[in-house]
Amino acid sequence: VPFSTPLPRDFYDRETTEVARDLLGRILIHRTDEGDLAGIIVETEAYGPDDPANHAYRGRTRRNAAMFGPPGHAYVYRIYGRYWCVNAVTGSEGIGEAVLIRALEPIMGIETMQRNRGVSDARLLCRGPGRLCAALGVTGALNGIDLIAGPLWIAGESTTGAPIACTTRIGVTRAADRLWRYYLQGSPYISRK
DNA sequence: GCTGCGATCACCT
DNA sequence: GGTGATCGCAGCG
């Protein structure tokens, strides 16, 4: 089975902006009853140290507890009362940093994703953090799970040489000047230019 | 294609 | 009681 080996915990135990860049081109997979749903990560955002936009900025709460756990776990939270967003927890245990997965290029289980989203255009299936969670069936039930154990994990090789663009983060009002959004230059699957 | 707006709720003050 | 790490749709032109 391709992409069956999750990235090791060491991968996530690094500086958050570095992990955010290194996640581009990797594969996010959710193993469900309807089969494996997967896509290539084409857009990420870092939520790092001394960062007022980071949910962990003001310390540990019930919502963000997963961010303070060991690296390589999922932080899934609800936003605007409607949608889910998924992060990979980075840095050492107790730090409270993560990478938000913002867009995917769908590669496996596309028919199921289309059904989950009520949309057929592949470019729109996983374009945005809320949409990709809906497409892959990622919900708060997966908050805190170990990305090394599944049923949600990240795999794949490093993509060296692919041009990476850096911009400010989408929808962020605090620390709005920080260039902590990353995407694969030229990908038609990113959420915005 | 772009802009504006409302939905809707967990979380925090 | 106010605020989002969002999205889909209406309206415009």
Side-chain angles (χ1 to χ4, degrees):
Chain A
V1 184
F3 316 131
S4 60
T5 306
L7 296 173
R9 200 168 312 285
D10 287 0
F11 178 91
Y12 301 96
D13 193 0
R14 293 181 291 160
E15 195 187 323
T16 299
T17 55
E18 187 182 345
V19 177
R21 286 189 298 271
D22 203 354
L23 279 171
L24 296 176
R26 312 272 184 174
I27 315 295
L28 177 68
I29 304 166
H30 186 201
R31 180 152 290 172
T32 75
D33 294 340
E34 308 206 79
D36 288 354
L37 309 178
I40 301 168
I41 298 171
V42 298
E43 178 180 342
T44 59
E45 280 176 359
Y47 288 85
D50 302 315
D51 176 10
N54 185 336
H55 285 175
Y57 182 64
R58 293 170 196 283
R60 184 187 176 118
T61 65
R62 190 158 67 248
R63 175 176 68 160
N64 68 23
M67 293 183 77
F68 290 88
H73 285 242
Y75 167 49
V76 184
Y77 69 95
R78 196 192 273 284
I79 187 165
Y80 297 109
R82 314 186 70 128
Y83 305 103
W84 299 102
C85 292
V86 63
N87 295 250
V89 174
T90 55
S92 302
E93 184 165 3
I95 300 295
E97 297 182 20
V99 174
L100 173 68
I101 311 297
R102 281 197 57 91
L104 306 175
E105 174 181 342
I107 55 170
M108 293 179 67
I110 290 177
E111 286 186 12
T112 302
M113 292 189 203
Q114 290 169 328
R115 196 161 57 247
N116 288 346
R117 291 264 295 109
V119 162
S120 59
D121 186 341
R123 295 187 181 207
L124 301 179
L125 278 183
C126 300
R127 196 180 80 169
R131 288 164 169 166
L132 76 86
C133 282
L136 268 60
V138 171
T139 71
L142 294 173
N143 185 37
I145 69 143
D146 189 350
L147 295 174
I148 283 77
L152 182 71
W153 72 93
I154 301 172
E157 301 297 313
S158 172
T159 51
T160 53
I164 294 173
C166 309
T167 74
T168 56
R169 294 171 291 183
I170 304 290
V172 166
T173 55
R174 291 169 290 194
D177 55 324
R178 235 162 276 194
L179 301 178
W180 282 358
R181 171 176 176 250
Y182 307 96
Y183 63 85
L184 291 179
Q185 186 80 47
S187 170
Y189 297 94
I190 59 173
S191 67
R192 315 211 228 181
K193 284 266 170 52

